[in-house]
């Protein structure tokens, strides 16, 4: 993943933020919306694109666009920094390959203990049966 190339591919749009804030919030576009086209990105390898599309399928639109927004502060510049940090941390999480689970094995002692318990239970049940002559 090449962050400098990806950073150049990001599209930003400033829109009016919702919520309270008085007269200032009605005039200024402080909310920042980040858009990123995954399929056309030059900064990601093919395998990274597949991982991102698989792991972030609920956050990607049908066009293949990942959109994120930030409106936590009144400053547009600060919101832009926050959304960039969140974006790159999300990409880093999505590209982590999880290790496959290895099946645990019985050790010999547990195996012998299990067989001994089975044998004891079957002997107990056999002792309850009526004897035939």
């Amino acid at each position: 993943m090449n962050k400098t190339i990806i950073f150049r591919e990001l599209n930003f749009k400033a829109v009016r933020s919702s919520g309270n804030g008085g007269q200032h919030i009605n005039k200024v576009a402080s909310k920042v919306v980040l858009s990123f086209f995954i399929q056309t990105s030059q900064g990601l390898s093919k395998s990274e694109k597949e991982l991102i599309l698989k792991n972030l399928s609920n956050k990607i639109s049908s066009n293949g666009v990942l959109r994120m927004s930030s409106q936590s502060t009144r400053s547009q510049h600060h919101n832009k920094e926050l959304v960039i940090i969140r974006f790159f941390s999300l990409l880093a999480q999505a590209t982590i390959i999880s290790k496959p689970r290895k099946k645990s094995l019985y050790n010999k002692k547990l195996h012998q203990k299990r067989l001994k318990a089975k044998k004891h239970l079957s002997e107990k049940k056999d002792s309850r049966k009526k004897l035939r002559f």
Side-chain angles (χ1 to χ4, degrees), residues 77-125:
H77 299 292
H78 194 71
N79 282 334
K80 186 175 179 180
E81 290 172 8
L82 289 175
V83 78
I84 290 169
I85 291 168
R86 281 185 30 228
F87 171 74
F88 281 114
S89 66
L90 187 71
L91 281 187
Q93 274 185 333
T95 54
I96 292 174
I97 301 169
S98 59
K99 293 180 182 177
R101 183 186 173 276
K102 291 182 181 177
K103 189 176 178 181
S104 60
L105 300 173
Y106 280 116
N107 59 15
K108 281 187 177 181
K109 194 172 185 178
L110 278 175
H111 186 67
Q112 294 296 328
K113 185 178 177 182
R114 184 181 65 84
L115 292 178
K116 191 175 181 182
K118 281 178 71 173
K119 190 171 187 179
H120 176 69
L121 190 64
S122 70
E123 287 173 357
K124 190 190 325 182
K125 289 184 176 185

Side-chain angles (χ1 to χ4, degrees), residues 7-62:
F7 184 75
R8 281 188 260 132
E9 294 172 345
L10 297 178
N11 297 321
F12 297 100
K13 184 179 178 184
V15 293
R16 287 187 182 162
S17 181
S18 64
N20 47 352
Q23 294 175 344
H24 177 73
I25 205 72
N26 297 329
K27 299 180 205 171
V28 181
S30 60
K31 178 180 177 179
V32 176
V33 178
L34 177 143
S35 301
F36 178 64
F37 294 91
I38 296 167
Q39 294 293 347
T40 59
S41 175
Q42 301 294 318
L44 295 171
S45 67
K46 192 173 184 177
S47 60
E48 288 173 333
K49 288 178 189 179
E50 289 172 3
L51 275 172
I52 290 170
L53 288 172
K54 185 182 111 184
N55 293 336
L56 299 178
S57 60
N58 59 338
K59 297 180 187 258
I60 298 172
S61 69
S62 59

Side-chain angles (χ1 to χ4, degrees), residues 62-77:
S62 59
N63 304 342
V65 179
L66 175 65
R67 283 196 176 87
M68 298 179 74
S69 64
S70 177
Q71 62 178 359
S72 58
T73 66
R74 291 184 180 187
S75 168
Q76 186 184 108
H77 299 292

